[in-house]
Amino acid sequence: MGSGKTALVAALARSLSDERSIAVVTNDIYTTEDAEILRRAAVLPDERITAVETGCCPHTAIRDDITANLDAVEALERDIPGLELVIIESGGDNLTATFSYGLVDRQIFVIDVAGGDKVPRKGGPGITGSDLLVINKTDLAELVHADLAVMAGDAARQRGERPTYLISLAADPKGGPVAEWVRRELRSPACIAVAGR
């Protein structure tokens, strides 16, 4: 069970697709699994979902050699005139996952409470440097003995003024607060990245 990156991408597509022209690029090492999950969920028409098989560490394709992702975004822009938002989901689960700002305009980093309440204080570029930190699966906190107040406090210490949202996509399948954040950030067509642990 992951942090909920694909579930968050699905939630954003559900929330925003009536308002904006949206497409999604997923990244996996050797599969198109995350793209297939989104297609089965029917959150967007199939032609608006594309997959990049990185064939290497997923972080290489989102940070070091972004060519495959740039090509995927450019193909979507060519095929879907008027595209306003492309959401790029990273594969993998690592606190060091960050996107090149040559590829994206904003970065969302997702962790979940099942990793324990120590995760925010571990830091790492995803936690400290992302534009938005999402602590997901708050509905599981009691079950895994995670203290949400500790997580929120540690996140604030690591991030300073950068926002952190504690959410449960099980309780709010449209990711309300995160969708609102994206709306505020969308002043012009943009690429928003979703990475996570």
Side-chain angles (χ1 to χ4, degrees):
M1 186 162 64
S3 62
K5 297 185 302 291
T6 305
L8 180 60
V9 170
L12 293 175
R14 282 187 200 99
S15 293
L16 302 171
S17 61
D18 287 343
E19 308 162 25
R20 299 283 187 160
S21 178
I22 298 175
V24 172
V25 176
T26 64
N27 280 248
D28 281 306
I29 298 176
Y30 299 119
T31 72
T32 60
E33 180 67 22
D34 290 338
E36 295 306 320
I37 290 169
L38 294 172
R39 287 188 183 108
R40 283 192 302 272
V43 296
L44 291 171
D46 286 357
E47 65 273 12
R48 289 177 176 262
I49 301 168
T50 192
V52 170
E53 291 183 62
T54 63
C56 61
C57 172
H59 314 310
T60 301
I62 63 172
R63 182 177 56 225
D64 303 325
D65 181 2
I66 60 175
T67 307
N69 277 292
L70 280 176
D71 289 347
V73 171
E74 287 171 2
L76 286 166
E77 289 174 332
R78 184 179 59 248
D79 295 343
I80 305 171
L83 193 58
E84 297 172 277
L85 172 63
V86 178
I87 302 170
I88 304 175
E89 179 190 353
S90 91
D93 59 347
N94 191 311
L95 293 175
T96 65
T98 58
F99 281 76
S100 165
Y101 278 105
L103 177 61
V104 299
D105 301 294
R106 300 285 184 274
Q107 298 185 46
I108 300 171
F109 195 80
V110 184
I111 62 174
D112 70 287
V113 301
D117 54 24
K118 66 187 178 295
V119 174
R121 74 176 156 267
K122 286 185 173 186
I127 288 177
T128 62
S130 60
D131 297 293
L132 174 64
L133 175 64
V134 173
I135 300 173
N136 190 21
K137 302 182 184 178
T138 56
D139 52 303
L140 301 180
E142 187 175 332
L143 296 172
V144 298
H145 308 291
D147 188 322
L148 296 177
V150 167
M151 295 184 87
D154 288 344
R157 280 185 286 283
Q158 290 284 348
R159 295 178 53 74
E161 297 299 312
R162 294 175 187 261
T164 299
Y165 294 158
L166 283 78
I167 67 168
S168 165
L169 290 171
D172 179 8
K174 288 195 169 186
V178 181
E180 283 302 316
W181 181 86
V182 172
R183 285 185 184 99
R184 289 194 299 272
E185 296 297 313
L186 276 178
R187 297 181 187 89
S188 60
C191 282
I192 292 184
V194 178
R197 179 172 190 272

